[in-house]
Amino acid sequence: MNVTLRLIIEEDLPLIQHYLSIEGVSRMTNVPEPYPTNGAREWYEMVSEEHQGENHYPFAIIADGEFAGSISVRREQGDIGAIDYWVAPPFWKKGIGTQAAEQAVDFGRYELGFKSFETCCLIENRGSARLLEKIGFQRGKEFLIGSGEKHEGEMARMYYLK
């Protein structure tokens, strides 16, 4: 599949709302579950503001011309970036997330000047761990997610890319 990234636009919101409202899609992410009725609109307003400050680049993942999910490149601090992503169910297990993550990292390196990246995922999220390791991220320490967080009490792992 041909995978490209472009900034999220308002026209993407109905598909974002649809896919993230499907039970289980946001399970492994920090996206609220169940997804709020106006979740896509609220997220779009938040990331648009952060994008204006040049700290967050929210991209649509486009696979063969179709909206297939979202990946964000964020500035953690200084020249350290982070990526967050989700892929819509019709596009699972097709390598789309891997291609999108490679492109997002390249954008962070070559357009934003990031020298390294960090991210994390739940220990049980084997697909995300495999994706990160496939594009060169190294495993970091495991940690227990703290109280008040969506995944409170679950184990996660940090990943680093130099």
Side-chain angles (χ1 to χ4, degrees), residues 68-121:
S70 175
I71 188 161
S72 289
V73 179
R74 293 180 291 105
R75 184 178 308 279
E76 281 295 292
Q77 57 184 15
D79 60 3
I80 302 171
I83 60 171
D84 302 298
Y85 48 87
W86 61 270
V87 176
F91 303 94
W92 287 353
K93 298 184 180 183
K94 296 181 180 180
I96 291 165
T98 301
Q99 290 181 59
E102 288 174 323
Q103 291 177 38
V105 166
D106 284 349
F107 175 83
R109 283 196 194 283
Y110 303 119
E111 300 297 323
L112 304 177
F114 294 157
K115 301 221 181 326
S116 63
F117 290 82
E118 57 186 40
T119 194
C120 66
C121 69

Side-chain angles (χ1 to χ4, degrees), residues 5-91:
L5 303 182
R6 65 155 167 74
L7 287 172
I8 291 283
I9 56 176
E10 257 188 274
E11 288 76 14
D12 296 326
L13 298 184
L15 284 172
I16 292 170
Q17 186 69 43
H18 168 72
Y19 285 132
L20 290 177
S21 296
I22 296 171
E23 186 176 346
V25 173
S26 61
R27 163 69 188 104
M28 300 287 186
T29 72
N30 287 325
V31 173
E33 188 176 42
Y35 200 56
T37 303
N38 204 25
R41 167 68 52 199
E42 291 171 7
W43 174 79
Y44 180 72
E45 290 171 0
M46 178 191 73
V47 297
S48 294
E49 186 174 314
E50 291 174 356
H51 178 69
Q52 293 299 324
E54 298 184 349
N55 290 316
H56 193 148
Y57 294 81
F59 292 105
I61 301 170
I62 307 298
D64 288 344
E66 292 184 66
F67 180 89
S70 175
I71 188 161
S72 289
V73 179
R74 293 180 291 105
R75 184 178 308 279
E76 281 295 292
Q77 57 184 15
D79 60 3
I80 302 171
I83 60 171
D84 302 298
Y85 48 87
W86 61 270
V87 176
F91 303 94

Side-chain angles (χ1 to χ4, degrees), residues 132-133 136-141 157-162:
L132 293 168
E133 291 173 12
F137 277 80
Q138 301 295 310
R139 289 182 181 196
K141 68 178 182 176
R157 181 187 315 270
M158 291 297 302
Y159 284 85
Y160 302 96
L161 180 66
K162 298 291 178 191

